Amino acid sequence: MASYLSQRVQSLFEFVFPGECLDEMLFKLNIFHPRCTSLVLSRGLGLGITVASVLLFVPQIVKIHMARSGKGVSLPSQLLGLLACFGTFAYSYANNFVFSQWGDSLFIFIQMIVVVMQILYFDSMIIAAFGFLALCSLAVLALIYQLIPLHILTLLQASTIFIVAVAKVFSLLDVLHEYLRLSKKLETWYWMARVIAYFKSIPSRTSEYLKSLASDYKTAVVDVVKDGRAKPVKAAMCSAVLVGLAYAYKTNPTERDVLNEFVKKRQLLVTLPNTIHKREADEALRLRTDFLNQNSLQYIDCFFFSLLLKLPYDKDVRIYESQDKNIRNWWFKEIYQNLIDVGAFGKWYRLRECFSNYDINNEELQDLPDDKKP
């Protein structure tokens, strides 16, 4: 046991006085060594801050425990401070920094967890208190097993000052609200307290709204299930329609899919001699490519299907005929006259039809004798 303690003490001295600093500053009393002085002071202050942080929130913890109440302590402020501490020590731990640089944040993090649990526990929210402890434990385990991406930790650590500032604002609002509440005989201060109370009630009112919304959706789902059991055929038809619409929306070709489809079709034709190309396939691809090069190919997304139109002019042209709605056709008539293709379920149907048997030149087949025509 004595040897173990001596090893620990020796390790501590070697950490505070690295290298030759132990011999220079303690044995030779060269306390103004050019390199060791700043290094020892830095490490000593780091250890001192870490040790002092162990007791930083202990008086507050004891006071809350003795009062059996967390009234007067701002819960949002504590949560934001907890997040800031977690960001600091998590980022340092992930980057393998020296413990003296982030140990204080770790101990403050632990103590703030205790404070938050006390606030919840003494406010008769026991399940929430232990659920919060479980959530913090999961966050620490995720950090230890490197499940949190480093860029998220970097962003969290960079936002520490902002988070602490917001936490102080919440704490100040609590103090100001309490002060104004006690001074509400003055009308102006009373209304200021009302305004502050309104903003403070936003989280609780938002929570109540979300709970009400969830309850409404739950009731709606239960009603749908009951109606489905009562009318299974109607429910099956409605479900099929909804699934079909969802599938159509998911597989609706995008504008990028248009270009990809052109590339695929051109690659198919490149692998064949020109003499056996189907003329309709060549013509369909040529027209679409020309319209694309002329910037007169328009893609319209209709959510469940897409339309491909040819415009009579470049899309960037701002001539009178292209801008005046009075001399243009009705929109549905323009779509009907200029429609090139319809896309749905991941396919462009007119282009697909033109490329059926794309490797058969029907004109060559017409020159064959009658007995050899297919």
Side-chain angles (χ1 to χ4, degrees), residues 73-317:
V73 182
S74 174
L75 181 60
S77 176
Q78 295 295 320
L79 291 174
L80 290 173
L82 184 73
L83 181 62
C85 289
F86 177 77
T88 300
F89 94 80
Y91 175 79
S92 303
Y93 175 84
N95 287 278
N96 296 319
F97 291 166
V98 181
F99 179 75
S100 60
Q101 295 182 358
W102 54 272
D104 56 326
S105 298
L106 173 62
F107 292 126
I108 293 175
F109 175 75
I110 296 173
Q111 293 171 77
M112 293 188 79
I113 290 177
V114 176
V115 172
V116 173
M117 287 187 64
Q118 285 181 314
I119 295 173
L120 296 174
Y121 183 85
F122 291 128
D123 199 23
S124 300
M125 292 189 289
I126 301 176
I127 297 178
F130 287 98
F132 174 75
L133 177 61
L135 181 63
C136 293
S137 302
L138 289 175
V140 174
L141 288 176
L143 173 66
I144 293 174
Y145 288 101
Q146 300 179 354
L147 299 178
I148 305 177
L150 185 59
H151 68 274
I152 293 180
L153 296 178
T154 303
L155 178 63
L156 187 59
Q157 197 274 339
S159 306
T160 299
I161 296 178
F162 174 75
I163 294 173
V164 172
V166 175
K168 296 301 181 184
V169 169
F170 272 105
S171 181
L172 180 62
L173 284 175
D174 275 346
V175 174
L176 186 59
H177 176 258
E178 187 67 19
Y179 177 73
L180 294 179
R181 187 182 64 83
L182 297 175
S183 307
K184 65 180 180 180
K185 292 182 179 179
L186 298 177
E187 185 177 358
T188 304
W189 288 12
Y190 171 73
W191 285 108
M192 288 179 63
R194 291 287 299 272
V195 171
I196 294 175
Y198 171 79
F199 283 106
K200 286 184 61 179
S201 66
I202 288 178
S204 61
R205 289 189 292 110
T206 303
S207 175
E208 291 297 328
Y209 170 75
L210 293 177
K211 289 180 181 178
S212 175
L213 188 64
S215 177
D216 292 342
Y217 274 105
K218 180 181 177 181
T219 304
V221 170
V222 171
D223 291 341
V224 168
V225 172
K226 289 181 179 179
D227 291 342
R229 291 178 178 176
K231 301 177 181 178
V233 176
K234 180 180 178 181
M237 293 177 62
C238 293
S239 300
V241 171
L242 291 176
V243 171
L245 290 176
Y247 180 73
Y249 175 78
K250 184 67 176 179
T251 58
N252 184 26
T254 63
E255 191 169 4
R256 188 178 186 87
D257 293 334
V258 177
L259 304 179
N260 292 337
E261 191 69 17
F262 290 172
V263 172
K264 291 178 182 178
K265 298 304 183 185
R266 187 165 297 280
Q267 288 176 345
L268 289 176
L269 295 179
V270 166
T271 59
L272 299 174
N274 292 335
T275 55
I276 65 172
H277 286 183
K278 184 179 179 181
R279 297 308 174 196
E280 290 83 354
D282 275 338
E283 186 66 15
L285 190 59
R286 184 190 65 79
L287 285 176
R288 287 163 173 77
T289 304
D290 288 344
F291 293 143
L292 182 64
N293 293 335
Q294 295 167 6
N295 198 25
S296 59
L297 191 67
Q298 184 177 16
Y299 166 85
I300 300 179
D301 186 358
C302 300
F303 295 103
F304 304 111
F305 62 93
S306 299
L307 302 177
L308 204 60
L309 307 179
K310 61 177 180 66
L311 300 178
Y313 36 76
D314 190 307
K315 288 188 289 187
D316 296 330
V317 168

Side-chain angles (χ1 to χ4, degrees), residues 253 258 261 299 306 308 341-343 347-352:
V258 177
E261 191 69 17
Y299 166 85
S306 299
L308 204 60
D341 212 335
V342 178
K347 302 173 184 177
W348 293 97
Y349 287 94
R350 288 190 176 179
L351 185 62
R352 185 186 181 193

